[in-house]
Amino acid sequence: AQTVTQSQPEMSVQEAETVTLSCTYDTSESDYYLFWYKQPPSRQMILVIRQEAYKQQNATENRFSVNFQKAAKSFSLKISDSQLGDAAMYFCAYRSGYGGATNKLIFGTGTLLAVQP
Amino acid sequence: DTEVTQTPKHLVMGMTNKKSLKCEQHMGHRAMYWYKQKAKKPPELMFVYSYEKLSINESVPSRFSPECPNSSLLNLHLHALQPEDSALYLCASSQDETGNYNSPLHFGNGTRLTVT
């Protein structure tokens, strides 16, 4: 079974600084997808960034980028120029590339990010 | 603004009440999901509907009854709940049931349910 581990329950960053949230996963599959979701106090889960396992190039979305290390099974999220609005719970998630709906979105336990002004 | 709309935002109900949670999306998505989330925990999948048919039930107690009247609407009917069912209930949708890179899940703001 696949697992997703986020080893940092809480992180803090100064406004305008850079922070990296770690995520590791365990799988024997070669085809899969990885996601970072953000959940601010408004409660909505917002897709931040996504990565296909067979793409070596790291995904980037504006100030958000990932460091995808397939061999190490690591998928860290880097937030550059942190803003107050980045404060949220961040969940790393995995989904198998095989099959249909029976492959659930597997979430890590989350990292609560605080942004200090 | 969220593209998945959930009502109500908050709900308090007694253990003998019957209530319903509603979810609506107009993105043309054909898969819809119910998740349950406890405080400071990741969401847990409850149900998946694909093309208006129930495709996954994660062994959820029968006091939770999902319904998908059409491709845009998803309901969760609640009856005889327990205090431990208090949680945030999130609805999500995706283009299809694969939920993969080209069909990621879009979530609503959730309904905060308190069972007294």
Side-chain angles (χ1 to χ4, degrees):
Chain A
Q2 297 83 21
T3 59
V4 178
T5 301
Q6 292 179 250
S7 59
Q8 306 153 317
E10 297 183 11
M11 292 281 286
S12 182
V13 63
Q14 291 291 129
E15 199 174 2
E17 297 294 310
T18 296
V19 65
T20 298
L21 308 184
S22 67
C23 172
T24 58
Y25 57 94
D26 188 27
T27 184
S28 58
E29 299 175 331
S30 57
D31 186 15
Y32 52 87
Y33 307 91
L34 297 165
F35 305 87
W36 277 100
Y37 278 90
K38 164 186 176 182
Q39 189 175 35
S42 66
R43 310 178 319 199
Q44 184 190 6
M45 295 277 286
I46 301 166
L47 178 63
V48 174
I49 200 165
R50 48 186 159 164
Q51 175 85 39
E52 295 172 274
Y54 61 86
K55 284 191 174 179
Q56 291 188 337
Q57 185 173 5
N58 290 325
T60 299
E61 290 285 344
N62 300 314
R63 297 182 295 106
F64 298 88
S65 61
V66 297
N67 183 2
F68 175 47
Q69 301 290 326
K70 190 171 183 178
K73 297 179 182 175
S74 172
F75 183 61
S76 60
L77 175 69
K78 186 172 81 171
I79 306 174
S80 304
D81 185 26
S82 297
Q83 300 175 359
L84 295 177
D86 295 333
M89 179 73 90
Y90 286 81
F91 290 101
C92 178
Y94 169 104
R95 182 141 187 169
S96 172
Y98 300 97
T102 52
N103 290 311
K104 300 184 294 184
L105 193 61
I106 300 170
F107 288 97
T109 51
T111 296
L112 184 61
L113 177 67
V115 180
Q116 307 299 328
Chain B
D1 289 341
T2 179
E3 296 170 316
V4 178
T5 304
Q6 290 187 242
T7 55
K9 291 184 179 180
H10 302 274
L11 178 63
V12 179
M13 60 184 292
M15 290 188 284
T16 59
N17 291 158
K18 287 185 179 181
K19 296 286 185 182
S20 296
L21 309 184
K22 297 184 183 302
C23 175
E24 189 169 3
Q25 59 88 14
H26 294 288
M27 295 179 282
H29 289 176
R30 302 315 300 267
M32 297 187 76
Y33 310 74
W34 279 116
Y35 282 83
K36 174 182 177 180
Q37 186 179 24
K38 289 285 200 178
K40 298 186 178 180
K41 298 289 186 182
E44 299 173 9
L45 183 65
M46 299 175 71
F47 303 103
V48 180
Y49 272 83
S50 178
Y51 289 86
E52 302 160 48
K53 294 190 186 309
L54 183 65
S55 61
I56 292 181
N57 177 340
E58 288 287 304
S59 301
V60 178
S62 60
R63 58 185 184 268
F64 296 91
S65 176
E67 177 195 20
C68 189
N70 59 57
S71 61
S72 299
L73 294 175
L74 184 67
N75 298 321
L76 186 62
H77 303 298
L78 314 172
H79 174 56
L81 294 193
Q82 303 297 311
E84 58 265 29
D85 296 322
S86 298
L88 179 67
Y89 288 84
L90 291 164
C91 175
S93 69
S94 63
Q95 184 175 334
D96 54 44
E97 65 180 350
T98 62
N100 62 22
Y101 182 88
N102 293 318
S103 181
L105 270 64
H106 296 255
F107 287 84
N109 283 351
T111 294
R112 178 79 64 193
L113 174 67
T114 303
V115 182
T116 61

